[in-house]
Amino acid sequence: MTINKNGTEKSGLRIAGTGAFLPKKCVLSSDIDNMLGWPAGTTENRFDLTARYVAEGDETSSYMAEQAALQALDAAGIAPQDLDLILGACGVMEQVIPSTATLVQHRLGLGKSGIPAYDVNATCLSFIQALDLAAMKIQLGLARNVLIFSADIASVGLDWKEPDVAAIFGDGAAAVVLTADGDGLLASRFETYSEGRDACVLAGGGTRISAAVDPVAAAEASYFRMNGQAAFRVTARYLPRFLKRLFAQDGLNIADIDCIIPHQASGLSLTHGLARVGLDPDKVIQTFSRFGNQIATSIPMALHTAICEKRLQRNDLVLLAGTSAGISIGGVVLRY
């Protein structure tokens, strides 16, 4: 346990291992051009996207999460049975009931273990919320080894009649194992501005629209709808102040950060949005062009990529931040 600048204790959180999984099917930007009848190079030029991956067949959310989790556990040197908590942090779950975390617990051979497993959902910021929850559990002494996974199959909810939305999303999974022997979170913050609640919507899957009552409406509600400009306007209004409040928690400033891992929302948000708040582009990990927007998976996937590519080194300060449907803004600063 360590003490921060305002004299309070911080959790002993450490990222012990990470893992990732990409589906076998890779869809190139040229494939999208051909499908939509666009001139060659349109997708890459318009979205700064070269490829995305699409899950097929047995590549379910829980399967992809299992593969990523096994990598993370191996990297951490921790056996599945030594976990104290399993948190699912998907933007869209495999099914409504039971949780995706329950399905992953079973896949890891822990079906009779009693290890608690449940989902934390904040759409694209689910991983950050789960990380914050895990830090509190560790700080309270309620857990020492925690697995967090994000696994998203965006491709099943895309409406190709709206190609500007459908073209940018990709599938995949990533996982992180946390242990109670590090410096912990230096700062954590989450804000929601529900004035933007209609900007990103997937209306189906809940109780408001039922296939048993109206199957036509339920089928239509299974498609994701997004007004990117509306989401961007709300985010741009609040993000600079959000970051100031986040860094103020530990007396930090942007210059102290060694590595910046944002939600990979779109090429536009990465190239223009980050510049608006003064983030150094050389420190920013960008995976959007390779994988597209992977919903909640994008942040842990970018984290895993940064570690594998040695752009994030031990003892570096790292900022994980982004926005999600709601509109919500979230971020954590921790020492890797």
Side-chain angles (χ1 to χ4, degrees), residues 60-144:
T60 63
S61 296
S62 59
Y63 171 79
M64 296 194 302
E66 174 202 12
Q67 299 305 303
L70 289 172
Q71 285 185 36
L73 288 163
D74 183 64
I78 292 174
Q81 59 267 27
D82 293 328
L83 291 169
D84 301 304
L85 177 63
I86 299 171
L87 295 176
C90 307
V92 182
M93 290 71 69
E94 183 168 320
Q95 58 191 40
V96 177
I97 299 172
S99 70
T100 309
T102 300
L103 304 180
V104 172
Q105 188 217 50
H106 176 74
R107 284 183 175 274
L108 292 174
L110 302 171
K112 297 181 179 180
S113 67
I115 296 170
Y118 52 90
D119 290 346
V120 175
N121 184 266
T123 60
C124 296
L125 292 177
S126 296
F127 178 79
I128 286 180
Q129 281 288 58
L131 182 65
D132 194 35
L133 175 60
M136 288 186 280
K137 289 281 189 179
I138 290 172
Q139 183 175 6
L140 291 169
L142 300 176
R144 288 193 57 83

Side-chain angles (χ1 to χ4, degrees), residues 190-306:
F190 194 90
E191 298 175 1
T192 299
Y193 298 94
S194 57
E195 63 180 279
R197 65 194 179 280
D198 295 326
C200 305
V201 176
L202 180 58
T207 60
R208 185 168 63 87
I209 302 174
S210 168
V213 175
D214 190 339
V216 175
E220 177 62 24
S222 67
Y223 290 109
F224 174 69
R225 307 297 180 189
M226 181 174 72
N227 184 331
Q229 290 185 342
F232 186 82
R233 283 196 298 270
V234 175
T235 299
R237 186 180 308 134
Y238 296 108
L239 183 58
R241 283 178 287 175
F242 169 85
L243 289 174
K244 288 181 181 179
R245 294 178 184 130
L246 175 67
F247 290 131
Q249 291 181 17
D250 203 62
L252 298 166
N253 59 62
I254 291 175
D256 296 323
I257 304 301
D258 299 300
C259 183
I260 300 165
I261 298 178
H263 169 50
Q264 311 289 310
S266 69
L268 177 64
S269 69
L270 290 168
T271 56
H272 299 297
L274 297 178
R276 290 170 63 94
V277 294
L279 298 181
D280 183 351
D282 292 334
K283 296 180 179 180
V284 176
I285 305 301
Q286 298 195 33
T287 61
F288 175 82
S289 64
R290 288 180 274 177
F291 309 133
N293 182 338
Q294 296 176 300
I295 319 180
T297 301
S298 72
I299 289 179
M301 180 68 76
L303 173 64
H304 176 73
T305 301

